[in-house]
Each structure stands twice: as structure tokens, then as C-alpha cells.
Amino acid sequence: MISIKNLLNSFDLTKEDLLEIIDLGNAIYKSPDDFSHCADGKILGTLFFEPSTRTRLSFESAMLRLGGSVVGFSDAGVSSSTKGESLADTVRTVSQYADIIAMRHPQEGAAFLASKTADCPIINAGDGGHQHPTQTLTDILTISNYKKDLSGHVIGLCGDLKYGRTVHSLLKVMSMFPDNKFILISPEELKLPEYVKKEVFADGTNNFEEVRSLDDVMDQLDILYMTRIQKERFFSQAQYTRLKDSYLLDKEKMQAAKDDCIVLHPLPRVTEIATEVDSDPRAVYFKQVKFGMYVRMALILKLLEANNDRNN
């Protein structure tokens, strides 16, 4: 049984928790029909105060495939927050209807606040530029399927490393496994924040390097994690315009990559990966989307199980 009651932060997951969720995700991926009634009678509440396509539909598909039901909203404008209701009250109310809640909110720390008032488990589906732990689980399940091992890889993370919450979470989780080396590829203005470095590399190991050029390191990578430059995180349109096309992965760059390198992306893609790359078998970002559904199915089951055991 996993050690957590809610999934608020990928940093809360132990190595054992990760492996337990990934093992169940792999079992569901191999035999999804065996799990089609595991959540019969259960209800997932989806509270999306910020726009989302993939994450929201992935959660909803996950619960439906487990045999459960879904209630919620995909636009804060249709919730009672427009009437002035507090987040705490909204969450407490919905937790009277639902057995588990997935919530996305633009404010950092919103999921933590929600967990203090909810009467059911909370899954953080993204809070501002802070955390997106289920995307990290998606990434890990994808890597484990294509690489068979979560250790001993050279991992390039490219693009927006400052505001990219998926990058911060993935770094922390992959640093739990031995012999992984990280190459951080970004413009100076979007490099990984110092506080993240301190959290991830707290043991003082220097298993990372920072570079500005993707071309210079492409041939070293076992895994390339591309990210978009996020317009919604910028206060200055001029700065966004200057940085948005900093990196472009195209066929020419892929020629330098290892035959078994895999390319991941949390999506949505904007200009950072040319569509011509999609047909390359090493481009697995659309397969990654499906793995996201399976790992969310696993997480929902594990949190329901953990909370049921604690309530008995």
C-alpha cells in the first residue's frame, strides 16, 4: 500500500510508492479489461480552475475505464467561485459528492489548501508553475516501458526549465534512481531555478550540467524531454516573443540522436518539435499520452485503497 493519502507533490512519493504505482500501471496497460470494474460505484470529482485538455480528459477516461463516474467542471467561470465562494468551501462541498478529487488551479499551493478541507483524497493535476505530479508518473511509466529500467540514463531536459513544473517534478523523481545524469538545456533566462537544484541535488552530487545548445549534446542522450516556452507564465510579451523559438527539434537534429533515444513531451506542443519528427519511432510523446491514462487509473486505485484501509 502506498504511503500517501493525497498526491500533492511528486516530492512526497517514496521510491517504493513510485514503483508500486508503476507496477500497477504496467499491469493495467497489459490487461486493461481486468480492471474495468475496480472502481464500480466510485465518483471522481474534476475541479479544473485552469484550462486543460489532456490532463482532464485523461483523468475522466481513467475513472470511466475503471467503471466509475465523473462529476465536475472544466472552467472556473461555471463554478461558484464566480460568486465569491472560497476554494476551501468549493472543495469541501464537492468532497461530499465524490470519493476522490483531481484539481487543477493556477495558484501555487492550491492543492495543499484543498487537502486540508476535503473529506476525500486530493490529486494535484497542476498548480501554477509549481507541481504536476501525475505528468511525472506518466513520464516514468513511459520511460519504464521503453527503457525497461529507470537507472543509468543520460536525460536531456530542453526548453523552459524555469517555469516548467513537469521538468521540476521529473528531475526529482529520476534523481531517486542511481546513475542518471541530467543535461539541462535552456536559454539563460529560463534555466533551472536554484531552489529546484537544492531540492533535487541535495546530496551534493554533481550529476548534472547546464548547456545552451541542444545540438552540442544530442548524440549523448538516452532520453530527450522537450518542453514548450509557456506564454501564460510570462509577464512580458516581448520576452516571450524573443524566447519562444529558442529550440526546434527537427529531422536534421534527430539524425544525431542515438538509435534508441526516446523523445518525450508533456504537451501541448507549439513550435518546439517539428511535425516531421512525429513519424520517427523514437518520438513517443503521443504514446506517452496513453500511458498517462493507465498511470492515472493506477493512482486512483492506489489512493482509494490507501484511504479505505485508513478509514476502516
Side-chain angles (χ1 to χ4, degrees):
M1 185 175 70
I2 60 175
S3 63
I4 55 173
K5 180 179 179 182
N6 308 285
L7 181 56
L8 309 178
N9 188 321
S10 59
F11 296 6
D12 295 337
L13 292 163
T14 66
K15 188 174 179 179
E16 291 71 26
D17 290 336
L18 284 166
L19 293 174
E20 190 172 332
I21 294 167
I22 295 307
D23 285 347
L24 180 56
N26 273 316
I28 296 172
Y29 168 62
K30 291 171 183 174
S31 302
D33 289 347
D34 292 347
F35 298 85
S36 59
H37 294 287
C38 287
D40 283 357
K42 299 296 185 181
I43 296 174
L44 168 71
T46 54
L47 309 186
F48 278 69
F49 294 88
E50 188 177 50
S52 169
T53 302
R54 277 152 299 278
T55 303
R56 180 176 61 84
L57 293 181
S58 181
F59 269 112
E60 293 182 358
S61 298
M63 192 56 164
L64 293 171
R65 286 179 181 271
L66 290 169
S69 304
V70 180
V71 298
F73 55 82
S74 58
D75 180 355
V78 301
S79 75
S80 291
S81 63
T82 60
K83 303 175 184 177
E85 183 176 54
S86 69
L87 173 63
D89 282 0
T90 298
V91 170
R92 178 170 286 177
T93 299
V94 175
S95 71
Q96 308 309 307
Y97 313 137
D99 299 287
I100 188 166
I101 289 174
M103 188 182 85
R104 170 168 287 187
H105 198 282
Q107 184 178 350
E108 295 183 9
F112 177 78
L113 174 63
S115 72
K116 295 301 181 184
T117 60
D119 292 327
C120 69
I122 296 290
I123 301 173
N124 182 1
D127 59 338
H130 184 222
Q131 282 281 327
H132 193 358
T134 62
Q135 179 62 51
T136 303
L137 291 174
T138 298
D139 302 337
I140 298 298
L141 182 58
T142 307
I143 291 169
S144 73
N145 268 268
Y146 281 95
K147 292 296 185 181
K148 309 305 178 189
D149 194 335
L150 295 172
S151 304
H153 304 301
V154 178
I155 305 165
L157 300 107
C158 180
D160 181 359
L161 308 189
K162 181 177 182 180
Y163 300 108
R165 58 192 172 196
T166 61
V167 169
H168 302 170
S169 299
L170 183 61
L171 271 168
K172 177 64 175 180
V173 169
M174 288 302 287
S175 69
M176 295 181 183
F177 297 89
D179 302 321
N180 286 324
K181 176 184 176 182
F182 304 95
I183 300 181
L184 311 177
I185 310 153
S186 72
E188 177 67 26
E189 297 93 333
L190 295 176
K191 68 181 185 180
L192 192 71
E194 288 300 318
Y195 79 88
V196 178
K197 292 178 191 174
K198 289 178 181 177
E199 285 180 315
V200 173
F201 306 111
D203 60 0
T205 55
N206 293 316
N207 57 340
F208 74 96
E209 63 175 302
E210 296 178 285
V211 301
R212 300 290 166 257
S213 169
L214 175 58
D215 291 24
D216 290 349
V217 298
M218 193 73 195
D219 61 345
Q220 302 176 38
L221 305 178
D222 300 308
I223 300 162
L224 172 59
Y225 195 86
M226 293 293 295
T227 66
R228 69 187 171 94
I229 307 300
Q230 302 179 81
K231 184 177 182 179
E232 65 270 27
R233 307 297 176 206
F234 281 82
F235 296 106
S236 164
Q237 176 66 35
Q239 187 184 41
Y240 167 73
T241 301
R242 181 168 57 83
L243 295 174
K244 69 183 180 70
D245 295 324
S246 297
Y247 300 100
L248 171 64
L249 183 65
D250 55 19
K251 272 190 174 182
E252 184 178 354
K253 284 190 176 68
M254 288 299 294
Q255 288 176 2
K258 294 179 180 180
D259 290 343
D260 62 348
C261 176
I262 57 171
V263 180
L264 284 76
H265 192 303
L267 300 178
R269 165 179 58 185
V270 186
T271 59
E272 61 280 356
I273 302 179
T275 55
E276 64 186 18
V277 176
D278 296 353
S279 59
D280 191 309
R282 296 169 292 182
V284 302
Y285 31 87
F286 288 112
K287 297 282 183 64
Q288 190 179 349
V289 172
K290 196 158 193 175
F291 283 122
M293 179 182 67
Y294 291 126
V295 85
R296 289 181 176 100
M297 290 171 73
L299 176 64
I300 288 169
L301 291 178
K302 285 295 179 182
L303 285 176
L304 288 173
E305 174 191 35
N307 281 269
N308 184 61
D309 285 352
R310 291 186 179 101
N311 291 333
N312 287 336

